[in-house]
Amino acid sequence: MASNQAEISRFNERSLVELVNHEHEASGKAICIPSRTREVALKAGLALLLILAMTFIALPVVALFLKSPLDTIFSSLQDPVVMDALQLSLTTSTLTTSIVVLMGTPVAYVSARFHYFGKDMADSLIDLPVIMPPAVAGIALLMAFGRMGILGHYLNAFGISIAFTTLAVIIAQVFVSSPFYIRQARTSFEDVDLAFENAARTLGASRIYTFFHVILPIAMNGLISGAIMAFARSLGEFGATIMFAGNFQGRTQTMPLAIYTAMQGDLDVSLCLAIILVAISFVVIVLVKTLTGRVYKKC
Amino acid sequence: MLEIDVKKRLRDFDLKVKLDVARGKTLMLVGDNGCGKTTLLNLVAGLDNPDKGRIALDGRALYDSDSQTNIPPEARGIGYVFQSYALFPHMSIYDNVAFGLRTRRMPPGEIKILVKDRLEAAGLWEIRKAKAADVSGGQKQRVALARALIIEPRLLLLDEPLSALDVRKQAAMRKGLSETIRACAVPCIIVTHDLRDVACLGDQACLLERGELALHGGAEEVLRWGSELDAKS
C-alpha cells in the first residue's frame, strides 16, 4: 500500500511539472508572437520618424535648387549686389577666422591645461555668445562700441567710429563665431595626452617648442575643424551685423543681409546667394567630418 | 650618484622618500598602484615639484627647497621612458628618436648619423618611416628607449617598461633591456610590478607603501619580502 501511495505521489508530482512546463511553452509562444510584432512596429515607427526628419530638413534645400534654374543663377552672379556681398562676406569671414584663431588658440590652451581663479566664470563667458540671441549681441556691441557706447564714446573723441563700418561687421562676426572655435580647440587640447607634453620636456624641449612641435600638430585636425565652423558661422551671421554694422551695399552688406534685402525686390538674386551659402555649408560639413574622423591613435 | 630626499603631500598620504642610487646601478621601485611610484619619478624628472627636500645628480642640485633651486625638466638631462611610451603619434619612428637631438639644435648631418646608429642597434632602421601608432608593442618600447638614450642622459627613469608587452615578449625584452641599461653606466630607477623584472634588472630594490619606503635592500632579497610583510602584519 505504502509503495503504491509513493508511486501515486511521484506520478502526481511529475504530471504537475509537465503541466507547468506545458503552460510555460504555451505562454512562451503566446508572448513570442506579439513581441515580434511589437519589435517590427517599433522599427517601422522609428524608420518613419527618421524619414520625416530627413524630409523636413531636405525639402527646403531641394526646393531651393528646384526653384532656381541654373541659367538664372549664372546671370544673377553678374549682379553687383551678389558680387559685392560675396566679396565682402568672404573677405570679412576670412579676416574674422584669422583673428579668432590667433586670439582663440592661446585662450583655448590655457583653458584646457591650467586652473586659475574664476576659470568657470571665464569659460561660461566664452560660451555666452553661442546662446545669446544675435539681435541682443548686436545691440550689446552697439552699446559698447557705438558712437554713444562705453568704449565707442572715447574712440569717437579721437575721430574713430566703428559702428556701421566694415570693421563693425568683423567685430560682430568675431563676437558670435569665436566660441565655435574656442570650444572645439579646448576639447582638442584636452584630448592631447599630458604624457606627450612631459616626454617632449624631458627630451629637452621648452614649453614653447613643445607647444609648436608636439601639442599643436596633434591637436591640429580639431583646430582646423573649429576654424571651419567659425568661418561658417561668420559667413551666416545676420542679426548682430544688421544691428551693429547696418546694411550698406559693398561696405556692410554681407551675403545673408543681401539675401534679406534682395527678397523684397529680385528673388533670383536672393536664390543665387542662398545657393552659394548652401554649397559652402555642404563643403564645411564634409571638411569637418573628414578632419574630425582623422584622430591620432594613442602611442 | 643620484640623491633623493623629498616630501610631498599627495591626496591621501604624504610621500616621504630618502634614497641614493650609485652610477651604473639600477634601483627597482615596487609597490601597489597609487603608492607614489610614478609621482616619485615625475619629481626626479622635474615634471612635478616636491613640497620640500633635495634632489641631486652627481653633486649638482636639480631641486633644493632651501636654496630654491628648481632646474626645469628640459635642462635636467634625464632619459624617461613613460609607461604608455608616449611616442609622438604625428611623427615617424625616425623623427621620434631624432626629437631630443633637434631640441638641442644639433646639425642635421650629425643627427642623421646618430639616429641611424641608434635605430640600427635597436633593429628599428627598417621601420624608420612608419608612424609611431602603426608599430608593435615591442617596437614601441625599443623606440621609446632609443629616444630616451640618444640624448646621452645622466639618469634613466623607466616607468613599467615591460608592462604593455605580452608575457613571451617580456622575457626577450627583459634581457635586451638589462644589457642596454648596463651599457649606459648611469643611475637608473625602474618602476615595476613584476618580481621577475626585479630579479633580472635590479641591483637594489625598494618597496613603497603609501608614500614611504617600507623595505629597501638587494634585488635578491625581494622574494623574502612577502614572508617578512606577512610576519609584520
Side-chain angles (χ1 to χ4, degrees), chain A residues 90-222:
Chain A
L90 290 176
T91 315
T92 52
S93 296
T94 308
L95 279 168
T96 296
T97 311
S98 311
I99 293 166
V100 166
V101 168
L102 282 173
M103 284 169 52
T105 307
V107 172
Y109 180 69
V110 169
S111 176
R113 276 286 189 262
F114 301 102
H115 290 277
Y116 54 88
F117 179 74
K119 182 175 183 282
D120 286 343
M121 182 65 108
D123 286 347
S124 305
L125 203 62
I126 287 166
D127 292 342
L128 192 63
V130 174
I131 47 165
M132 190 187 263
V136 177
I139 205 158
L141 286 168
L142 210 53
M143 293 303 110
F145 301 104
R147 201 166 290 175
M148 300 308 285
I150 296 171
L151 198 66
H153 180 69
Y154 295 104
L155 292 172
N156 201 35
F158 291 101
I160 302 166
S161 180
I162 293 175
F164 308 109
T165 63
T166 308
L167 181 61
V169 175
I170 295 170
I171 290 175
Q173 288 177 350
V174 168
F175 187 80
V176 296
S177 67
S178 59
F180 287 83
Y181 176 75
I182 295 174
R183 278 153 63 115
Q184 174 67 46
R186 185 168 58 203
T187 311
S188 304
F189 285 133
E190 278 167 354
D191 286 347
V192 178
D193 193 340
L194 196 63
F196 296 135
E197 208 168 325
N198 286 341
R201 298 292 306 280
T202 60
L203 288 165
S206 64
R207 277 188 188 279
I208 292 171
Y209 190 97
T210 304
F211 181 77
F212 284 106
H213 289 84
V214 177
I215 300 164
L216 210 53
I218 295 174
M220 190 54 85
N221 287 342

Side-chain angles (χ1 to χ4, degrees), chain B residues 95-169:
Chain B
D95 290 333
N96 261 279
V97 177
F99 186 87
L101 302 179
R102 287 182 180 143
T103 61
R104 285 161 173 73
R105 303 191 187 284
M106 204 176 259
E110 221 170 301
I111 292 177
K112 208 172 174 183
I113 294 165
L114 288 172
V115 174
K116 192 176 181 209
D117 282 353
R118 187 62 66 175
L119 287 178
E120 279 177 345
L124 296 165
W125 180 247
E126 298 302 315
I127 56 156
R128 66 190 179 280
K129 287 179 184 163
K131 280 275 185 281
D134 299 330
V135 300
S136 73
Q139 286 167 333
K140 277 180 191 164
Q141 193 260 6
R142 281 184 283 152
V143 176
L145 194 62
R147 187 178 71 172
L149 292 175
I150 203 165
I151 59 169
E152 295 185 352
R154 296 185 301 136
L155 168 68
L156 259 180
L157 303 173
L158 285 78
D159 192 358
E160 305 208 28
L162 302 170
S163 66
L165 308 177
D166 60 53
V167 180
R168 277 200 309 184
K169 270 187 192 152

